[in-house]
Amino acid sequence: MTTTDSSGRRRWAALLLAVITPLVAELTLGNPPLSQIWLMLLWVPIYGAGTVLIRELVRRRGAGWLSIVLLGLAYGIVEEGLALQALSSPTLYGVAGWAPRILGLNSAYTELNLPYHAVFSVALPILLVDLVFPGMRDRPYLKRTGLVVTGVVFVLGAALLRLSVTGFIDPGYQAPLPVVAGCLAAVALLAVLALRVVPRASHPVPGTSQTAPHTAQTARHSSAPAAGTGAVPGSWAVAAFGGLVAFGYLALLFPFGGATQPAFTRGNWVVVPMLAAAALAVLAWRLVRRWTTSGAWTDRHSLALAGGALVAHTAFGVLANAATLTERAELTALGLVMIGLLALLGRRSRVSQTAPTTG
């Protein structure tokens, strides 16, 4: 492959990541409904540029998925705490009534959305594009100029949300200075942890240049785990696990079906689903980390985990976000299209036996 071809593929990969990120994070959850899909134009700059920026920084550092998740949490703080300021607003979306406010923050909404952005706005889109372009998964997509432009677009995208969305649905609210300062400090701390404290990846991610000569051989053994390297569930079990965790986390923290607090609780009983959601997240992280570092994890498992989470995510959107029969039908149809695309990706994706790093 020539240098020009490689550069073109990197640009296509970056563009794909920028486009699918808001689709995964917002549209496939029913925010907004398909009849208002034009609203995606407001989300593409911050979502697309934000996730591309995170991937570029992590790949240039040579770090792994822990760094991606930490920067995903930082992204959530930028969007929800600084741009939309929904983490602290007493009126926006009505989320202040979900649970007691802690240190001026909407506690249940914060617990729901920061991990949500880390997973659905950052980690899963990056994983999907890595599977589409397996030979470039450990490499940056952009040169230095592209990185700078991406950063500028991200900042402008945050400003666009602040001036447009909140100007209409939460006019006049400005987060208190201590909240803004706390958000900025948290973003800085997470960035330092992700890019300076977390160790670099100790072994290559599948599809790297070091494993590329063996791609054909590993592709022939797409469903076979490496011998003697630890137990990993089958792909369907991993998909079911991803779906149960995604649906369970959302259902525990997002009021639906007429509920005014998470999991149909009242008053201080809301602490029960909040603690359950935190325990579920910790358990999921520990299990996924164990599986992915076992040596038996393959791209097929990664796609199954992502697919299960995405299908459950859209199913929850049909249940909780779609307000009319038409919206439910549209979101269901979108979910079926998504399943078809995931199946197509599964058929064409080259599967490696090397475990992706979680470092």
Side-chain angles (χ1 to χ4, degrees), residues 221-238:
H221 302 283
S222 59
S223 61
T229 52
V232 173
S235 298
W236 285 105
V238 170

Side-chain angles (χ1 to χ4, degrees), residues 96-249:
W98 288 9
R101 285 163 58 88
I102 299 175
L103 298 177
L105 299 179
N106 301 316
S107 58
Y109 183 84
T110 299
E111 183 184 356
L112 169 65
N113 277 274
L114 297 192
Y116 178 88
H117 283 299
V119 174
F120 286 96
S121 303
V122 177
L124 288 185
I126 290 174
L127 175 60
L128 291 174
V129 176
D130 281 353
L131 292 173
V132 174
F133 297 93
M136 295 186 292
R137 69 182 70 194
D138 68 322
R139 308 171 188 172
Y141 293 150
L142 306 174
K143 296 181 179 179
R144 187 178 298 274
T145 300
L147 181 65
V148 172
V149 170
T150 300
V152 171
V153 172
F154 173 60
V155 173
L156 293 177
L160 176 63
L161 280 191
R162 182 70 196 146
L163 295 175
S164 59
V165 176
T166 56
F168 285 102
I169 62 178
D170 197 23
Y173 175 74
Q174 175 60 50
L177 183 58
V179 171
V180 173
C183 288
L184 291 173
V187 169
L189 176 60
L190 289 167
V192 170
L193 289 174
L195 301 175
R196 289 292 180 264
V197 177
V198 172
R200 298 190 181 200
S202 59
H203 52 78
V205 180
T208 67
S209 57
Q210 298 181 50
T211 59
H214 306 288
T215 300
Q217 178 182 356
T218 57
R220 289 195 297 270
H221 302 283
S222 59
S223 61
T229 52
V232 173
S235 298
W236 285 105
V238 170
F241 171 80
L244 287 172
V245 171
F247 194 96
Y249 193 84

